[in-house]
Amino acid sequence: MTAFSTIVALAPLYLLILAKKSGLARQVARNEPKLPPSDGAGVAIAQPILSGDPRLGEVLGDNLRELPAARFLWLVDLDDLEAQRICNDLATRNPRTKIETSLHAQPPEGTNPKLWKLEAARAAGIAEPVFLVLDDDTRMPGPTLAALLQALETHPLATSLPGYLDDGRFPSRLLAQFVDNNAALTYLPLLPFLPPLTINGMAYALRVKKLNEIGGFAGMLGALTDDLAVAEAVLCRGDTIFQSARPHWVQTTVRDGKHYFQLMHRWFLFALLLLRKQPLQIRATIGLLHALPPLLLLALVITSALVPSTAGVAVLIATLALRGLGLASLQRAIYGRVLEAPLSSLISELLQPFHLLHAVFLRRIVWRTRRYKVQDDRHFTAIE
């Protein structure tokens, strides 16, 4: 097979998978009704908070303004004086909003620090019917919360779709492009055929009654992947998860290239832990839809570079153009705006096979302020 025939074989297959996934994602999004925004009434919003990101106060403040009727539970480390200062300052400047800041010691060895805080908040008593978990870098729009609240009428657990905002720097843009180009294409296309396997841990809502019935987060404290642990606790009881096509917005300051690779390594390792628990048929389907396209694109680019020809380069350029148009169109439908940055988007996808290999062979992650050695999602140890 010549280089050109290889390119001609790879390009249509890549575009076919992209078009099929995009069409299914659009179908799911169209079928979900748009609702008037919620102001957060009846919702307790729990946010485990750690300082270090310069946008922390800005993101927390945006949620206060967007959801003024909610009750905010800010869960802060006992020794995190900067986070305490930010939370106290926001509480002082927003006296009409229900804000409760609680301080928490470091969890015992082998305990998930996020779930440790969430269980403390739940055990203290939640009067509201809905418990919404938000990461401290996540903004929850009122319309998206409304979609989650409606879903909780028929499902005990609901999650929304992440959209990433970058700060203009290259590492941040790479991370944002990974999420923005893959979230809708990962979470939505299988929904017509397969119920959600997990949730997006950045933003999810539970009925408090159901949360208490499953014993809160206490039985999950030994899990490394908190989102998978919460999903499994619900699914194993025969209940279902609702995956909304409505976005929540995430903005993390990615300090440099090293920080970018640490984040991507953790995310890919968590994805592998999820896949390991699935039946072979589901693993094969997910591999075909999500792992194969970046490999096809990488093979297409390498073949075009190693054996260049006018016709081959023309096919590559056409493929990349159609890819960009497809992603931009889908993002406009899902997020209401185009988030794709062509060069960063391409580099992000080409790096995905390397992130996958990194996660397969290196089982040590950096999470927040600590390093962990990971055996599986229930066995991990802190490394000094």
Side-chain angles (χ1 to χ4, degrees):
M1 180 180 287
T2 66
F4 180 69
S5 60
T6 300
I7 291 171
V8 171
L10 293 173
L13 180 57
Y14 173 81
L15 291 173
L16 177 64
I17 296 174
L18 177 62
K20 187 63 176 178
K21 290 198 299 181
S22 180
L24 290 169
R26 285 173 179 272
Q27 175 187 330
V28 170
R30 281 196 302 266
N31 291 339
E32 185 175 344
K34 293 184 178 180
L35 303 168
S38 168
D39 62 1
V43 180
I45 301 178
Q47 294 185 273
I49 291 174
L50 186 69
S51 66
D53 194 302
R55 287 183 171 82
L56 176 60
E58 175 187 337
V59 174
L60 295 178
D62 284 350
N63 284 324
L64 296 178
R65 287 183 288 274
E66 182 76 8
L67 307 171
R71 174 187 171 208
F72 289 86
L73 307 173
W74 288 341
L75 317 174
V76 182
D77 288 350
L78 189 62
D79 57 356
D80 193 342
L81 300 182
E82 176 62 12
Q84 294 173 37
R85 183 194 66 77
I86 292 171
C87 291
N88 291 336
D89 179 61
L90 285 169
T92 300
R93 291 192 282 115
N94 295 272
R96 296 184 180 180
T97 306
K98 291 174 283 187
I99 300 172
E100 300 173 22
T101 301
S102 56
L103 303 182
H104 303 266
Q106 290 296 320
E109 176 68 33
T111 300
N112 184 299
K114 181 177 178 181
L115 293 173
W116 171 258
K117 291 181 178 179
L118 291 175
E119 173 56 17
R122 183 210 63 93
I126 305 296
E128 294 77 9
V130 173
F131 191 79
L132 175 67
V133 176
L134 288 185
D135 279 357
D136 60 12
D137 57 1
T138 301
R139 295 174 172 91
M140 174 58 66
T144 301
L145 179 57
L148 297 183
L149 294 179
Q150 183 183 66
L152 290 181
E153 296 177 6
T154 52
H155 302 74
L157 175 60
T159 187
S160 46
L161 197 69
Y164 243 83
L165 303 172
D166 67 71
D167 59 12
R169 294 183 300 170
F170 187 62
S172 175
R173 182 155 292 171
L174 274 182
L175 187 76
Q177 288 301 298
F178 171 74
V179 175
D180 296 336
N181 294 339
N182 288 283
L185 294 174
T186 299
Y187 287 104
L188 302 183
L190 286 177
L191 293 181
F193 316 102
L194 187 71
L197 301 174
T198 188
I199 57 174
N200 180 265
M202 300 169 184
Y204 60 90
L206 292 129
R207 291 206 301 264
V208 171
K209 181 179 179 182
K210 172 57 66 173
L211 180 59
N212 292 333
E213 285 176 1
I214 64 177
F217 302 99
M220 315 172 201
L221 293 178
L224 175 65
T225 51
D226 49 276
D227 45 4
L228 179 58
V230 172
E232 288 180 338
V234 170
L235 293 175
C236 73
R237 289 165 172 78
D239 289 313
T240 54
I241 298 170
F242 180 81
Q243 172 64 63
S244 174
R246 304 290 172 247
H248 57 264
W249 296 103
V250 186
Q251 190 167 20
T252 302
T253 299
V254 184
R255 297 183 298 272
D256 49 32
K258 180 181 178 181
H259 189 202
Y260 161 78
F261 279 103
Q262 288 174 346
L263 289 168
M264 295 298 296
H265 177 239
R266 190 174 78 238
W267 288 354
F268 270 78
L269 180 55
F270 286 1
L272 288 175
L273 295 178
L274 166 64
L275 280 178
R276 182 186 293 179
K277 294 190 167 189
Q278 305 309 316
L280 180 60
Q281 183 178 0
I282 292 179
R283 276 186 278 174
T285 301
I286 292 175
L288 173 65
L289 291 178
H290 305 311
L292 180 59
L295 289 172
L296 292 173
L297 186 62
L298 181 62
L300 183 61
V301 170
I302 290 175
T303 303
S304 300
L306 292 180
V307 190
S309 67
T310 302
V313 171
V315 172
L316 175 62
I317 291 173
T319 301
L320 296 180
L322 290 172
R323 170 188 178 273
L325 289 172
L327 290 173
S329 177
L330 178 62
Q331 290 169 359
R332 193 180 291 110
I334 298 291
Y335 297 113
R337 54 174 147 165
V338 175
L339 299 169
E340 198 237 0
L343 180 59
S344 301
S345 171
L346 174 61
I347 294 173
S348 174
E349 184 163 0
L350 294 176
L351 285 174
Q352 287 181 43
F354 302 102
H355 292 310
L356 181 61
L357 287 174
H358 189 198
V360 167
F361 291 107
L362 184 62
R363 312 287 292 190
R364 297 185 178 188
I365 62 171
V366 177
W367 190 18
R368 295 263 175 167
T369 59
R370 307 184 74 181
R371 302 175 69 89
Y372 294 93
K373 183 178 181 180
V374 180
Q375 289 80 37
D376 57 49
D377 67 318
R378 289 279 175 172
H379 299 89
F380 60 100
T381 53
I383 302 171
E384 295 299 332

